[in-house]
Amino acid sequence: QVQLVESGGGLVQAGGSLRLSCAASGRTFRRSFMGWFRQAPRKGREFVAAISWSGEITFYADSVKARFTISRDSALNTVYLQMNSLKPEDTAVYYCAAENEGVLTTTATWGYWGRGTQVTVSS
C-alpha cells in the first residue's frame, strides 16, 4: 500500500521558517516527479512546487519563488519543502503528491496524495 506522510508543519510567526518532509512508503518514486500543493480555508488546492526524480528540475509557483526550496532524497524516498520568509498568506494545509502524469500544476494529474500538514503563519 502506497503511503505519503507529511510532517514538519506548525505555527510560526511571519518571517520565520519551516521545513516540511514527505516520506513515501510502499513504492519507490525514483522516476517520478514529486510535488507540494496547499489548500487555504475556503480555497482550492493550489500548486506550490515540484521536483524531478533526479532533483535536477524544479518548478515553483510564482507566489513562493525565492522563498521556498523543494528537494528530495531519492534513496530515502523523501521530498522536502524548505519555507523561508513565511507570510500569513502562506497559511494552509500542505499536501505532498507523487506519480505525476501530465501537467504538474493541476491536481488531477497526480496519482498519490498525503493527508496534509497544517502550516499557520501569524502576523
Side-chain angles (χ1 to χ4, degrees), residues 19-53:
R19 188 193 193 207
L20 305 183
S21 298
C22 171
S25 62
R27 179 171 176 174
T28 300
F29 294 101
R30 289 203 187 103
R31 294 194 176 274
S32 168
F33 271 85
M34 294 188 74
W36 289 94
F37 284 71
R38 66 187 182 186
Q39 187 164 13
R42 298 176 297 281
K43 292 189 176 181
R45 194 170 297 189
E46 66 173 2
F47 171 78
V48 175
I51 188 167
S52 64
W53 71 273

Side-chain angles (χ1 to χ4, degrees), residues 5-10 16-23 34-39 46-51 58-61 63-73 78-86 90 92-97 117-119:
V5 179
E6 302 96 335
S7 61
S17 299
L18 283 174
R19 188 193 193 207
L20 305 183
S21 298
C22 171
M34 294 188 74
W36 289 94
F37 284 71
R38 66 187 182 186
Q39 187 164 13
E46 66 173 2
F47 171 78
V48 175
I51 188 167
T58 57
F59 296 96
Y60 295 93
S63 59
V64 306
K65 275 181 183 175
R67 299 189 299 123
F68 291 9
T69 302
I70 189 171
S71 61
R72 71 188 292 174
D73 186 329
T78 299
V79 64
Y80 305 95
L81 186 69
Q82 177 66 43
M83 306 186 295
N84 298 329
S85 302
L86 282 161
D90 295 317
V93 177
Y94 283 71
Y95 296 91
C96 176
T117 184
Q118 176 71 47
V119 171

Side-chain angles (χ1 to χ4, degrees), residues 62 107 117:
D62 288 343
T107 58
T117 184

